[in-house]
Amino acid sequence: MKSVAVLLSGLCLSALTLPALACEKADLVLHNATIYTVHDKAPKAEAVAIKDGKFIYVGNEDGIKPYLCGDNQIRDLHGMAVYPGFTDSHYHLKGVGYREKELNLQGSESLKAMLQQVSAYQQAHPAPARDWLVGRGWIEKTWPEKRFPTLREIDAIVPDRPAFLVRADGHAGIANSRALELAGIDAETQAPDGGAILKDPDGKPSGMLVDNAMVMVTRLIPEPSRADDKDAFVLATNRNASLGWTQIQNAGGIWQDLELLDELRQEGKLKTRVYYALSEGEPAKRLLAEGPVIDPGHMIVAHAIKLYSDGALGSRGAALLADYSDHHSKGLLLTDHDRIMPILIQALKKGIQIETHAIGDRANRLVLDWYEEAFSKVPPEQRKIKEPRWRIEHAQNIHPDDQQRFVDLGVIPSMQASHAIGDLHFAPDRLGPERLKYAYPWKDMIKKGAIIPGGSDAPVEIGDPRIEFYAAVIRKDLNGYQAEGWHPEQALSRVEALKMLTIWPAIAAFQEDVRGSIEVGKLADLTVLTKDLMTEPEENLMSSSTVMTIVAGTIVFEK
């Protein structure tokens, strides 16, 4: 018995003297989670470890044990869903900020409700007659009235000070009489090229200005201060983080705003990454002259130029091959070959990405024609980037003859799923049943080999990743409504929809090697939700909420 005791004593001593498992250092550890990596070789994981802003471990619970120790910040997610940080591929950051600051008309369920909002704002914000009342966000597509506001309706609420209320898409707006008077617009005024001044049956201006005609009024509105702009950016980036966005791709802007964003970055107030496109004109000329701006941490990258070819479908500004089904017009072209071609050629030689707004089938065809011509004039050996990954933004109506051209030319269709579930309330009237067959053709484009970076076009739409995912996979409006002509066969799988918000935007921004999926060595951007978008019934998708947003390993939002 004594020998057995000695043996047991020795065994216990040996166990006690075994070296402890080494503690692996990490800045942040997430475990006990359902992680969708968007990495084809290892599509799911249970835990990640992050150090110096990058993933150092992605795998199962057993493998994370060496990191569950010491001073490491450890979070048990209790099975919650984790995704590569969501990216909105088409966003207007400053516009969203001012939507939060000013009269926000988004969500008005009727013309009557919208007018009540304007009236309440007018009463709450009395101002001298010289001060403008400016708002944005109304859209008539789901209103029971099914029409634009009128001059008389706005005059009745705002009679003495100029007012301009911009439609959600930013391509049309309603002015009151005081604003038209200051702009010198009357029954005899001719609209500028690429614009329209809508008229009443008696030939007088209705107050509605479309596309380039809006400038006649907007140029009179006092410019906001630099402090106002900075406040708007802070509001927008904080909002984005709270919704789970880790990057937005800003579709057009000026250098002063880019400098403001960098100032916020240095102050630690820029919560999400920004991939920035400069607007046509002086901003674009400077980018072409100086080259891309790439922050080493990838928080701010300016590598693209934003151009416009046409207007919006709702205001009948989208350029179509044939007349609108409900109006004797083919829409508006906002540029032409001779204006755009020098920009395209120079961009190819300087390694600058081009992203061009095109909604109608005519606009998409023309932009493809212009891109193809530029590619032929500047062959790959003369380009700074051989495969330039040029984009067409929106690409809502693509004629079947042009769909394969995107793939053959290497052009990326950057599309917004939420546009479809809103526009399809009125698109049948605008396009008719035949053209609806190739409207918002997500599935057809993917089958042909295209990638589709997804986004919201906020403040045109709400700017919520849940809505974009829902719209892509369900293709119904948020009330569950779907009508004839909505073509549910164009809906995407959940895997495809997740790629729209993760790896495909990274590819569209030349960033697939550093972000867009959860892999060791990549930037640690994550979105954590309460519900699993990949398995939840469709009626539950919108009830999910953001628990945590992580950018470069830093928790920028937590609920």
Side-chain angles (χ1 to χ4, degrees):
M1 293 294 293
K2 183 178 179 181
S3 62
V4 172
V6 170
L7 178 60
L8 288 173
S9 175
L11 286 172
C12 291
L13 182 63
S14 298
L16 289 171
T17 57
L18 283 174
L21 192 65
C23 182
E24 296 287 349
K25 180 64 179 171
D27 298 323
L28 179 63
V29 179
L30 307 178
H31 73 109
N32 190 19
T34 301
I35 302 174
Y36 293 92
T37 66
V38 194
H39 180 208
D40 291 339
K41 293 181 179 179
K44 293 187 75 173
E46 298 171 326
V48 298
I50 299 165
K51 192 173 188 298
D52 297 328
K54 296 181 179 180
F55 296 112
I56 58 172
Y57 173 81
V58 179
N60 59 27
E61 282 291 312
D62 285 339
I64 201 68
K65 287 178 181 177
Y67 298 93
L68 302 177
C69 56
D71 296 329
N72 295 346
Q73 185 180 7
I74 300 166
R75 299 298 179 90
D76 183 341
L77 295 183
H78 301 286
M80 284 189 286
V82 181
Y83 311 91
F86 291 156
T87 294
D88 190 319
S89 301
H90 189 107
Y91 199 93
H92 301 279
L93 192 61
K94 192 173 182 178
V96 169
Y98 274 103
R99 182 181 71 186
E100 302 301 303
K101 280 173 65 72
E102 296 178 337
L103 172 54
N104 182 358
L105 298 171
Q106 198 151 44
S108 302
E109 296 182 352
S110 66
L111 173 57
K112 180 180 178 181
M114 177 268 214
L115 295 172
Q116 288 171 342
Q117 282 181 269
V118 177
S119 179
Y121 187 89
Q122 162 79 342
Q123 292 175 36
H125 300 83
R130 68 178 181 277
D131 286 358
W132 284 75
L133 188 154
V134 178
R136 178 169 177 165
W138 65 269
I139 192 144
E140 80 294 340
K141 59 190 178 186
T142 59
W143 287 354
E145 295 90 349
K146 299 291 184 185
R147 64 173 177 83
F148 296 143
T150 67
L151 184 73
R152 292 181 182 86
E153 287 166 333
I154 306 303
D155 281 350
I157 299 169
V158 192
D160 300 323
R161 58 192 284 209
F164 192 57
L165 308 173
V166 181
R167 193 174 183 267
D169 61 9
H171 288 269
I174 179 75
N176 70 350
S177 292
R178 181 64 180 140
L180 293 182
E181 178 186 347
L182 290 173
I185 297 174
D186 59 24
E188 306 304 319
T189 304
Q190 296 296 311
D193 289 342
I197 300 170
L198 303 190
K199 304 291 181 67
D200 285 335
D202 60 5
K204 296 180 180 178
S206 69
M208 281 295 299
L209 306 175
V210 180
D211 286 312
N212 289 350
M214 296 170 63
V215 178
M216 302 171 76
V217 164
T218 57
R219 66 188 176 195
L220 303 175
I221 300 172
E223 289 288 331
S225 69
R226 190 176 190 276
D228 287 334
D229 286 348
K230 190 171 182 178
D231 184 44
F233 281 129
V234 169
L235 285 171
T237 191
N238 288 345
R239 176 187 183 276
N240 293 344
S242 74
L243 290 170
W245 296 119
T246 61
Q247 183 190 68
I248 64 96
Q249 297 182 1
N250 197 70
I254 57 177
W255 281 92
Q256 292 91 325
D257 288 346
L258 188 61
E259 291 160 0
L260 262 183
L261 290 170
D262 192 54
E263 190 175 298
L264 290 174
R265 179 189 64 81
Q266 294 177 51
E267 294 171 359
K269 296 178 182 177
L270 185 64
K271 296 289 185 69
T272 58
R273 303 181 191 277
V274 179
Y275 182 82
Y276 200 90
L278 279 301
S279 297
E280 184 181 359
E282 291 304 317
K285 290 178 182 177
R286 180 174 165 184
L287 183 67
L288 288 167
E290 298 181 7
V293 175
I294 302 177
D295 157 45
H298 300 276
M299 284 300 293
I300 298 176
V301 175
H303 190 201
I305 291 172
K306 172 69 181 300
L307 304 173
Y308 284 88
S309 69
D310 68 345
L313 187 67
S315 51
R316 301 185 184 88
L320 303 180
L321 293 167
D323 275 356
Y324 278 81
S325 294
D326 61 354
H327 194 255
H328 184 57
S329 166
K330 293 183 176 66
L332 300 169
L333 285 174
L334 305 185
T335 191
D336 57 40
H337 172 277
D338 292 346
R339 174 175 160 183
I340 203 172
M341 192 55 58
I343 300 172
L344 302 185
I345 290 172
Q346 195 174 4
L348 283 172
K349 293 178 178 179
K350 296 294 183 69
I352 300 299
Q353 188 181 45
I354 295 292
E355 52 182 63
T356 305
H357 166 118
I359 288 179
D361 51 8
R362 183 185 179 202
N364 276 279
R365 178 170 292 178
L366 281 174
V367 174
L368 288 170
D369 288 346
W370 294 334
Y371 283 7
E372 186 172 18
E373 180 180 340
F375 294 160
S376 67
K377 288 183 174 180
V378 186
E381 62 272 15
Q382 296 178 21
R383 304 174 195 167
K384 190 166 185 179
I385 299 175
K386 290 185 177 181
E387 297 182 2
R389 301 188 192 182
W390 284 5
R391 301 160 51 152
I392 292 183
E393 303 299 309
H394 311 308
Q396 291 179 9
N397 307 104
I398 311 173
H399 192 281
D401 292 348
D402 296 314
Q403 291 180 8
Q404 187 62 42
R405 296 180 68 199
F406 276 82
V407 178
D408 294 343
L409 292 170
V411 174
I412 298 171
S414 170
M415 304 168 88
Q416 298 75 48
S418 57
H419 280 338
I421 65 171
D423 290 3
L424 283 166
H425 284 279
F426 64 78
D429 293 334
R430 299 287 190 274
L431 298 174
E434 287 305 309
R435 284 184 292 202
L436 274 180
K437 293 177 181 177
Y438 54 85
Y440 318 96
W442 314 321
K443 197 72 170 185
D444 286 348
M445 295 302 292
I446 289 174
K447 285 179 178 178
K448 286 177 168 59
I451 65 165
I452 300 178
S456 69
D457 199 14
V460 176
E461 303 289 350
I462 299 294
D464 186 330
R466 297 172 304 169
I467 296 176
E468 299 309 319
F469 188 91
Y470 171 94
V473 301
I474 309 301
R475 207 168 166 106
K476 298 177 182 177
D477 74 11
L478 295 179
N479 296 317
Y481 174 80
Q482 185 181 72
E484 184 179 355
W486 284 43
H487 291 281
E489 72 276 7
Q490 294 294 340
L492 301 182
S493 72
R494 299 196 187 206
V495 170
E496 291 165 338
L498 184 57
K499 288 181 178 181
M500 286 181 80
L501 301 178
T502 55
I503 191 64
W504 287 344
I507 294 170
F510 301 91
Q511 293 180 331
E512 70 272 19
D513 291 336
V514 296
R515 62 185 309 276
S517 60
I518 302 173
E519 301 178 56
V520 170
K522 284 195 172 185
L523 295 169
D525 296 353
L526 295 168
T527 302
V528 183
L529 301 182
T530 55
K531 294 184 179 179
D532 188 339
L533 299 180
M534 308 305 282
T535 60
E536 281 287 332
E538 64 179 61
E539 62 270 16
N540 293 343
L541 292 177
M542 289 302 300
S543 64
S544 181
S545 61
T546 305
V547 175
M548 195 182 301
T549 305
I550 297 170
V551 176
T554 298
I555 299 172
V556 296
F557 171 81
E558 186 172 13
K559 185 163 65 175

